[in-house]
């Protein structure tokens, strides 16, 4: 059993990660900006005020945690790199600091040409700003996270929606995972399975991985 703090626990990804962790017997703290508005999480989950972009908030919640999950969204492109920097700064001097599991962007994955998907000419313009923010967060972890344990999880770049929990997925690293028809898809529910599996098994320390069916 692990102690897991989920930042962004009220969101589409975060709420499913909270539920998956709780149903598998972990102790879960749901960190949200407005606890009074978060009434749909499992009974037994502790809901607190928390902000992944605040170093102070990170330091308040980290000491009792084995893992800090970042599943935040809804802001401008600075949100994700700001969170990465706050988490790293908050944990760097902490003895026995928890791991960071950052739910990142699929557009940072590489195309067959070796370019990031967000740099391809046909990448949808409406997603570019958030994709650039998630890409910057990944760069922060890769270049500035000495002394901190982190893992960056990329869902599929486009076909990623709420759906069924099947408990199955396939794993890749820097390229999208596709099926025999070339499709790359996943439900939020099965992303949550992959996130908790990584917390339990630690296959990708200080690196990025991706999952899809």
């Amino acid at each position: 059993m692990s102690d897991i703090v989920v930042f962004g626990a009220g969101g589409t990804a975060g709420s499913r990660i909270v539920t998956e962790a709780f149903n598998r017997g972990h102790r879960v703290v749901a960190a949200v900006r407005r606890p009074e508005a978060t009434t749909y999480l499992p009974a037994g989950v502790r809901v607190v005020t928390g902000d992944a972009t605040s170093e102070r908030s990170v330091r308040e919640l980290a000491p009792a945690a084995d893992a800090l999950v970042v599943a935040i969204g809804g802001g401008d492109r600075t949100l994700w790199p700001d969170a990465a920097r706050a988490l790293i700064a908050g944990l760097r001097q902490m003895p026995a600091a928890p791991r960071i599991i950052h739910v990142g962007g699929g557009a940072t994955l590489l195309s067959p040409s070796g370019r990031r998907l967000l740099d391809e000419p046909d990448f949808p313009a409406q997603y570019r700003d958030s994709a650039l923010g998630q890409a910057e967060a990944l760069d922060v972890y890769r270049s500035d996270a000495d002394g901190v344990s982190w893992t960056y999880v990329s869902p599929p770049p486009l076909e990623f929606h709420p759906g069924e929990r099947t408990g199955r997925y396939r794993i890749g690293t820097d390229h999208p995972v596709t099926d025999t028809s070339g499709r790359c898809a996943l439900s939020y529910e099965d992303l949550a399975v992959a996130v908790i599996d990584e917390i339990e098994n630690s296959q990708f320390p200080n690196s990025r991985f991706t999952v899809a069916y």
Side-chain angles (χ1 to χ4, degrees):
M1 180 186 297
S2 294
D3 291 287
I4 301 171
V5 173
V6 181
F7 288 101
T12 306
S15 61
R16 286 159 173 80
I17 292 167
V18 167
T19 299
E20 179 70 23
F22 182 79
N23 287 344
R24 285 162 66 165
H26 298 289
R27 291 181 291 265
V28 186
V29 173
V32 297
R33 295 195 177 189
R34 294 180 58 223
E36 70 279 4
T38 309
T39 59
Y40 45 84
L41 297 175
V45 170
R46 185 162 68 94
V47 181
V48 302
T49 302
D51 179 1
T53 66
S54 164
E55 185 179 334
R56 177 179 177 179
S57 185
V58 170
R59 286 180 171 170
E60 287 174 349
L61 292 172
D66 299 304
L68 303 180
V69 178
V70 184
I72 56 176
D76 62 29
R77 63 181 284 181
T78 66
L79 176 69
W80 298 280
D82 284 351
R85 293 185 184 100
L87 285 153
I88 291 166
L91 300 183
R92 180 163 274 149
Q93 303 303 322
M94 184 178 297
R99 296 176 62 197
I100 302 166
I101 308 291
H102 184 112
V103 179
T108 61
L109 296 167
L110 304 181
S111 70
S113 71
R115 292 186 297 187
R116 299 178 304 182
L117 294 174
L118 67 91
D119 296 322
E120 294 291 342
D122 60 348
F123 185 78
Q126 66 267 34
Y127 301 131
R128 184 167 175 76
D129 202 50
S130 59
L132 286 168
Q134 286 282 22
E136 186 178 346
L138 179 56
D139 289 342
V140 169
Y141 289 118
R142 284 174 166 169
S143 62
D144 298 326
D146 291 347
V148 174
S149 179
W150 61 273
T151 299
Y152 186 103
V153 187
S154 286
L158 292 176
E159 290 195 64
F160 179 45
H161 309 286
E164 179 186 0
R165 182 196 186 280
T166 70
R168 61 177 179 81
Y169 57 84
R170 292 181 297 137
I171 297 175
T173 52
D174 288 324
H175 293 269
V177 175
T178 58
D179 63 17
T180 55
S181 67
R183 185 183 180 199
C184 179
L186 191 73
S187 70
Y188 276 90
E189 287 75 6
D190 283 327
L191 177 75
V193 174
V195 167
I196 303 308
D197 284 350
E198 175 60 23
I199 291 173
E200 292 179 349
N201 302 315
S202 190
Q203 297 185 71
F204 295 95
N206 302 326
S207 62
R208 184 258 290 279
F209 75 100
T210 185
V211 289
Y213 295 128

